[in-house]
Amino acid sequence: MKRPDWQLSRNGLFWVLVAFIAVVLLHMDHLPIWVTVLAGFCIFWRILEYRRAVPFPPWPLKAVMVIGCVAGLSVEYRSLLGLEPMLSMLIAGYGLKLLEMHHKRDAIVLVYLAYFTAAVNCVFTQDIPEFALVLLTFALATTALVSINQARDRGFSLAPSRLALKMLAVSLPLMVALFLVVPRLGAFVSIPVSKHQARTGVSDTLSPGGIADLVGSAELAFRVRFEGDVPDRQRLYWRGLVFSRFDGREWKQADFYGPDQPILGRVGDDSIEWIGDPVRYTVTMEPTHQRWLFALSTPATSETGVRRIRDSRLVSSDRIGLRRNYEMRSWLEHRLEPEGLHPHRLDLETRIPPGSNPETVRMARQWAQETPDVDALMNRVLGLFNRSFVYTLEPPLLGTHTVDEFLWETQRVFCDHFASSFAFFMRAAGHPARVIGGYQGGDIHPTENFVTVRQYDAHAWAEVWIEGRGWQRVDPTAAVAPERDEMSLADLFGDDDGFLAGNPLSLMRFRDIGLVNWSILRRDYFDYLWGTWVLGYDKRQTRFLQGLLGQVTTARVITLFLFAAGISFLPWLAMYLLNRHRSRPDPRDLQIQKFCSKLARAGLPRKTGEGILDFAQRVSAERPHLETEAMAIARMYVNQRYDEHLREPSDDLRMRVRSFNPSRNR
């Protein structure tokens, strides 16, 4: 029995289910387990229904499933106004829609939904492997679309996939042209971040051992491309957060708003005395879903939506939800606030909690009296660190008075302990001090001019304000482990069990192997190109188009677009012209079609599969007065069409068909 045109073929159903499976696998990390189980259940039910083992679910069951999904989402998420709740709702609805897919039009709707849902993955991550998986899902969805529209059901076939790949291949030039020409408009809305989207990174609070936790992660933090030579490693202090408030255990950042008007413009203010020429570079930062940005000391920028705080940290007006490129310049030689501090800032940077760490407060005040010179006092404290302390990835837990226990008891610490205790000691001695959180160093690519900074490069150091000189960077860690400035943490602790303890199979643990190290360098290079030329193309668009077109004008942009469109349509045009000659109907067939059309209008339609001579004989039997002309036309067609000696059509058949009038009277 012939399958109705509205009915979905077996091959079409197969590819629709494959596209749905690809979408679910693509988002599995973002979905609750029960949504993934629901998707698998819907696929299984749909297969059983096609095999006539079960019917379509009745409406009461579908209503219960919908109510259950809404209840599950409400329990799973505190609010449905977020990216992950919306995605989970979309996937759940996608699966339930499979259970009421009756017609081709239903399947087409699901294919369009597959395109949209796959593209949503680019909001979560824009890495090369993830983007390749999105393209693969697009190819499967296109295959499903092709198979749905096939006229004949031949069972399972890979033919639709081949046609889908051809369609995607010929569309590439047009896609590239659109990518090059269409301006980036930015995000129109800000999507709330779900609890499941937390990423590792420097936190907005600093407590003992907080940075040591990042040693277990080799995730990328950001990459930096320098316009000139890369500065020496010991000068690569990537400043991000400034901790000025201390409650006895945790350090926190100062507020953006205060009496000292901390928010400044994009360029800077007169509180910084810049010395020499700036270092120019571009940062490609991974999503943190926070507002702070990382840069070298005393940064300045003309980036839209970026502001500098008086304590020389950078903040973004929007949360960094996607990989972001921003251009910076920094003066490595400078004096920050050398003329003095605002009274509010002075009070903030010297404040210590009452009763906190009494032994350290007593010793600091004693040393301040014995060593009134601030430089000598700092060297004395650093000398204490150098004589007695051990730099370790696994420091012991500390109690209430963290600085006292660290300085006078355990003396086994990580960088955040050093920075915190040093800043507290200097405050107790009467000198303004604070803790800086960020990253230090990074992997400098041996052949390209960029630096890769990973989470295990997280670092903390201190700053002390000295009258007439401003804020001075002091890294107490360097007093105990001076090689930290010259080597990455991977080189320093690569053989330590605590390094990358949360990711024992990371390639970074095997970077001493030549092939592995080469693979890491190649991966970093291609990922850098991807971040700067694809994800960060909006920064280069104008310059690239000027280099390509000479002058960016409307006419030249339209010409580029039409050229790309022509390349895309060229294969289809060639196929059309090639098949046009092959499929051109024979003139004699056209004449016999006119002959049959005239008889059909006269009430004598030709039956399906009926030969032309049989048709003419039936016409002669039903309308004897047409026998002579009908049989003459049929025999003339057969003789001319199938006689090898009569390849060229003659005008006799055309004249007879033109004069044939089956409606005339006997």
Side-chain angles (χ1 to χ4, degrees), residues 104-330:
K104 281 185 177 180
R105 64 175 180 267
D106 299 326
I108 292 175
V109 170
L110 289 179
V111 172
Y112 292 158
L113 190 59
Y115 284 121
F116 175 78
T117 312
V120 170
N121 190 65
C122 294
V123 179
F124 288 96
T125 177
Q126 299 173 344
D127 294 335
I128 297 177
E130 293 290 334
F131 185 73
L133 292 177
V134 171
L135 291 183
L136 176 60
T137 306
F138 281 179
L140 294 174
T142 306
T143 301
L145 192 62
V146 171
S147 62
I148 291 170
N149 290 279
Q150 284 184 330
R152 298 175 59 186
D153 186 5
R154 303 174 181 175
F156 173 73
S157 173
L158 291 175
S161 63
R162 292 192 290 268
L163 180 57
L165 291 177
K166 291 179 181 178
M167 294 170 61
L168 293 175
V170 298
S171 66
L172 284 177
L174 189 58
M175 292 168 56
V176 172
L178 290 172
F179 173 81
L180 295 177
V181 173
V182 175
R184 275 52 173 171
L185 301 179
F188 292 97
V189 294
S190 178
I191 303 177
V193 179
S194 172
K195 62 181 180 180
H196 298 284
Q197 281 185 259
R199 297 180 64 95
T200 59
V202 179
S203 173
D204 58 350
T205 61
L206 184 68
S207 57
I211 289 185
D213 294 338
L214 297 180
V215 176
S217 174
E219 284 192 41
L220 178 66
F222 53 88
R223 285 192 174 92
V224 185
R225 175 82 176 198
F226 288 90
E227 291 189 8
D229 295 334
V230 178
D232 295 336
R233 185 183 189 86
Q234 59 267 28
R235 309 190 76 179
L236 297 180
Y237 280 83
W238 305 102
R239 183 190 193 93
L241 300 95
V242 178
F243 301 106
S244 299
R245 298 163 54 194
F246 184 59
D247 62 5
R249 183 173 180 84
E250 283 189 341
W251 289 84
K252 299 180 181 179
Q253 297 194 91
D255 295 332
F256 290 163
Y257 305 97
D260 59 333
Q261 298 180 341
I263 297 181
L264 305 176
R266 288 179 292 180
V267 177
D269 71 325
D270 55 5
S271 66
I272 300 178
E273 180 181 333
W274 285 317
I275 303 173
D277 296 326
V279 176
R280 299 179 183 272
Y281 54 96
T282 301
V283 180
T284 303
M285 185 172 168
E286 294 298 298
T288 60
H289 306 293
Q290 303 295 341
R291 297 184 185 276
W292 53 78
L293 303 172
F294 295 94
L296 297 176
S297 57
T298 60
T301 181
S302 57
E303 294 279 342
T304 303
V306 176
R307 292 294 183 270
R308 193 180 67 83
I309 310 300
R310 190 173 298 277
D311 54 20
S312 199
R313 54 181 158 143
L314 293 175
V315 294
S316 170
S317 57
D318 299 318
R319 294 185 181 273
I320 312 301
L322 297 173
R323 184 180 289 186
R324 177 171 180 176
N325 291 279
Y326 51 94
E327 296 180 353
M328 284 286 155
R329 59 187 188 276
S330 294

Side-chain angles (χ1 to χ4, degrees), residues 41-98:
F41 172 77
C42 293
I43 293 172
F44 182 67
W45 188 304
R46 193 62 181 83
I47 293 175
L48 292 180
E49 187 282 326
Y50 187 83
R51 298 177 63 87
R52 301 293 190 267
V54 297
F56 280 102
W59 72 264
L61 179 58
K62 290 191 290 187
V64 170
M65 296 175 71
V66 171
I67 295 174
C69 287
V70 174
L73 292 172
S74 301
V75 172
E76 183 74 25
Y77 303 99
R78 288 180 297 179
S79 172
L80 297 181
L81 297 178
L83 183 57
E84 285 190 357
M86 293 177 183
L87 175 65
S88 298
M89 184 184 301
L90 184 62
I91 297 292
Y94 193 159
L96 295 178
K97 182 65 178 176
L98 286 175

